[in-house]
Amino acid sequence: MAFVPAGSVRFHVQQLPAAAGAAGSDRPERPVVVFLHGLVVDNLSSFYCPLAVPVARAGHEVVLYDLRGHGRTERPATGYDSRTAVRDLSALLGALGLGQRRVHLVGNSYGGTLALHVALAMPDRVAGLTLLEPPLGGAWVENMVDTLSAAALSLEDSPVPSELRTLRLRKAASLTAIADDLLNRTTLIDDIAASRTFTPADYAGLRCPVLIVCGEHSELVPGARELARHAPHVTAVEILPGLGHDVLKESSGALRAAVLAHLDAASGAACEVASGVASGVSAQALTEPPAEAAARPRTGVLVP
């Protein structure tokens, strides 16, 4: 683990090298897989065992980091909007010496929302997206702001963190203290309340392959279907039976298989693009389907 200054923030980062001898691990044009976690009490550790280690063992270089204000990353008072998150990631990749590499973004929950913002802001840098339970609609913003505001009130001047430390529940005490800081001493809630809602035109502008994974009982499935209807390169919407929003925690085997298959396919396409561009063929020509193919329904989108 390391702390890396990037822009005005020092980020907590974990890098995993691609396993030597794994298929494709020796291809320098293969995208780096970057993981983006969810809000408030989430951090890079949620990805480590379920996905990050298997992805590295499969031959992909991996970067995990705690978002601004989360986990062990510095916690400035401002800058929790999506535009700043995009700048943060760009600055961090540059600080890690990866400024010229393409990336495949794996985002869980709010991390999936941020991944979409990055793909729209930096289309030439993003080779693929894997979105786990991504909140995409305006209703989610309202509900989340209400939930976070209520949590902020309950944590303000609360004795809970000190009581947890007294009970030697250090991890729970730390997460509670982080939540209190984020919700009551930063602009995070206001920045989320001001979030711009994605439009069909945004989805139609996505140029990379996209995998979406949702739980069967998740309220976010309609948003995933809406994205799949408009984005031209959605490979599948995987609906995992019996689950809600907790697909990362509760579906390691099925989720891991779906993510690794998508990474291999998207990385292969990205390598073809890199080789084609080096040969003088435009990236757009290699990634955009022919008009007649684009006009056909995408049977790979699996929705119940």
Side-chain angles (χ1 to χ4, degrees):
M1 293 187 184
F3 292 93
V4 179
S8 61
V9 176
R10 191 177 71 148
F11 289 90
H12 178 223
V13 181
Q14 173 78 62
Q15 290 181 271
L16 302 177
S25 61
D26 58 344
R27 301 186 69 171
E29 69 272 28
R30 198 172 207 189
V32 179
V33 181
V34 180
F35 289 88
L36 303 172
H37 63 73
L39 277 173
V40 185
V41 295
D42 204 0
N43 56 59
L44 66 81
S45 67
S46 63
F47 281 116
Y48 193 83
C49 290
L51 286 179
V53 170
V55 166
R57 287 176 176 166
H60 302 272
E61 187 177 351
V62 166
V63 172
L64 309 99
Y65 71 105
D66 289 337
L67 298 172
R68 170 185 291 249
H70 291 70
R72 299 173 69 185
T73 287
E74 284 184 329
R75 196 166 300 115
T78 61
Y80 296 88
D81 57 286
S82 59
R83 188 172 299 178
T84 303
V86 173
R87 289 198 295 265
D88 283 347
L89 177 55
S90 180
L92 180 60
L93 291 172
L96 294 173
L98 301 172
Q100 302 304 312
R101 296 281 298 278
R102 300 185 79 206
V103 296
H104 186 116
L105 302 176
V106 180
N108 180 52
S109 191
Y110 184 66
T113 304
L114 294 182
L116 265 178
H117 281 294
V118 175
L120 291 169
M122 303 191 302
D124 291 336
R125 295 290 308 280
V126 179
L129 293 173
T130 299
L131 309 177
L132 315 179
E133 278 286 309
L136 304 173
W140 175 87
V141 172
E142 291 184 24
N143 292 339
M144 182 53 63
V145 168
D146 289 345
T147 299
L148 294 180
S149 297
L153 285 173
S154 70
L155 288 170
E156 192 171 15
D157 300 322
S158 170
V160 170
S162 60
E163 290 174 357
L164 289 171
R165 282 191 291 272
T166 300
L167 294 171
R168 297 185 178 181
L169 299 173
R170 289 178 293 180
K171 182 176 180 180
S174 174
L175 291 175
T176 305
I178 289 170
D180 183 25
D181 275 351
L182 273 171
L183 298 178
N184 287 308
R185 297 171 188 85
T186 77
T187 60
L188 182 138
I189 295 177
D190 290 338
D191 289 344
I192 291 175
S195 297
R196 183 179 73 84
T197 302
F198 294 111
T199 67
D202 289 328
Y203 299 150
L206 288 169
R207 289 165 37 185
C208 61
V210 183
L211 168 68
I212 312 168
V213 182
C214 288
E216 176 187 11
H217 304 302
S218 171
E219 63 183 8
L220 302 178
V221 171
R225 288 175 169 156
E226 179 73 6
L227 170 56
R229 275 194 292 270
H230 297 285
H233 304 292
V234 172
T235 60
V237 177
E238 296 283 351
I239 305 296
L240 300 183
L243 299 179
H245 192 56
D246 52 353
V247 296
L248 182 59
K249 290 182 180 179
E250 301 298 331
S251 184
S252 296
L255 178 64
R256 185 164 55 244
V259 170
L260 288 175
H262 180 59
L263 280 173
D264 285 343
S267 294
C271 290
E272 288 178 13
V273 169
S275 299
V277 170
S279 303
V281 181
S282 73
Q284 183 177 11
L286 284 160
T287 55
E288 288 192 349
E292 62 272 16
R296 290 195 300 267
R298 295 183 308 283
T299 56
V301 178
L302 308 176
V303 292

